[in-house]
Amino acid sequence: MRKADNVWVVIPSYNEREALVHVLATLSSLPVTTVVVDDGSTDGGADVAGASGSWIIRHAINLGQGAALQ
């Protein structure tokens, strides 16, 4: 399925590796571009996001959900 140019899903994540596996697998069947904001995680969630083909934004330290969504 072709990716939509105008639909982006932003996923804030802090130590949510297992949840990311399932969420990104589900989204992979939809025509969306995914962006995972790794908010200082230490569980390797950014690696999962990278393997899925998602864009990744990383915060060096946890700044909270509000900052992740900004």
Side-chain angles (χ1 to χ4, degrees):
M1 184 177 284
R2 185 176 172 289
K3 297 283 185 189
D5 292 334
N6 59 348
V7 180
W8 291 60
V9 177
V10 178
I11 304 167
S13 175
Y14 177 70
N15 290 336
E16 294 290 343
R17 180 181 182 172
E18 295 305 315
L20 276 176
V21 169
H22 300 292
V23 170
L24 294 172
T26 301
L27 289 173
S28 70
S29 65
L30 300 173
V32 299
T33 300
T34 55
V35 178
V36 174
V37 181
D38 176 10
D39 194 22
S41 297
T42 58
D43 69 346
D47 297 331
V48 169
S52 76
S54 296
W55 288 60
I56 305 168
I57 298 171
R58 292 184 180 166
H59 293 166
I61 60 171
N62 180 269
L63 299 174
Q65 185 177 15
L69 289 173
Q70 282 182 339

